[in-house]
């Protein structure tokens, strides 16, 4: 397995797909990287030479924010929204959808499981 940006990339995957295992690199970015380095995206990672892997590693480290660096940036952005008490920050803090989705019947992923609201207590009278 090749190690790029602190991530073990699977050898048996094609290069374009293997790059998407890195946080911050999707399919479009993976295709751009392959094109910039003049590599074949349909070649398996284990078939690449060591110099190609080194070239790939240095290119990603120099030109893209990935993994921990990107996660910290996203965390700081959300924290800034919370600290300024913006609408989006409040939605993040409350665990509700942030981008205008409806919450009356959906949003189970953000809100969590539906909880019953005060069920009726049945009094049993002894007669």
């Amino acid at each position: 397995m090749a190690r790029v940006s602190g991530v073990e990339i699977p050898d048996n995957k094609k290069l374009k797909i293997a790059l998407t295992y890195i946080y911050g690199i999707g399919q479009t970015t993976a295709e751009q990287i392959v094109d910039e380095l003049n590599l074949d995206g349909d070649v398996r990672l284990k078939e690449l030479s060591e110099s190609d892997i080194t070239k790939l590693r240095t290119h990603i480290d120099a030109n893209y924010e990935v993994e921990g660096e990107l996660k910290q940036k996203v965390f700081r952005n959300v924290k800034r929204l919370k600290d300024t008490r913006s609408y989006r920050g409040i939605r993040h803090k409350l665990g509700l959808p942030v981008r205008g989705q409806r919450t009356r019947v959906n949003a189970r992923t953000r809100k969590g499981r539906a909880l019953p609201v005060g069920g009726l207590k049945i009094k049993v009278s002894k007669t």
Side-chain angles (χ1 to χ4, degrees):
M1 287 191 149
R3 190 165 189 79
V4 178
S5 298
V7 179
E8 294 285 333
I9 298 178
D11 285 337
N12 56 346
K13 303 277 185 190
K14 292 183 178 180
L15 181 58
K16 283 185 200 174
I17 303 302
L19 287 175
T20 63
Y21 279 69
I22 301 171
Y23 180 83
I25 296 180
Q27 289 182 341
T28 305
T29 311
E31 288 178 14
Q32 288 174 355
I33 292 170
V34 168
D35 291 340
E36 289 171 3
L37 296 176
N38 296 324
L39 297 172
D40 184 15
D42 295 327
V43 169
R44 307 262 175 204
L45 196 66
K46 61 186 171 190
E47 297 169 5
L48 287 178
S49 66
E50 193 61 40
S51 63
D52 287 339
I53 293 174
T54 306
K55 187 166 54 168
L56 184 70
R57 189 178 296 130
T58 55
H59 180 73
I60 289 173
D61 289 340
N63 299 318
Y64 295 96
E65 269 187 18
V66 290
E67 283 300 319
E69 188 179 331
L70 181 60
K71 287 179 184 177
Q72 285 178 354
K73 183 178 180 180
V74 170
F75 176 77
R76 283 194 309 268
N77 288 340
V78 172
K79 186 175 182 331
R80 176 180 47 81
L81 290 171
K82 288 179 184 178
D83 291 343
T84 58
R85 307 244 339 129
S86 68
Y87 179 79
R88 283 175 53 202
I90 292 168
R91 302 298 280 185
H92 272 291
K93 194 176 280 191
L94 295 176
L96 294 169
V98 176
R99 296 185 177 178
Q101 297 90 337
R102 65 181 296 140
T103 58
R104 186 169 181 167
V105 293
N106 292 328
R108 280 293 137 219
T109 303
R110 285 290 293 183
K111 289 170 67 172
R113 230 176 127 180
L115 299 174
V117 178
L120 296 174
K121 292 185 181 177
I122 301 173
K123 264 191 174 178
V124 178
S125 61
K126 296 181 184 179
T127 51

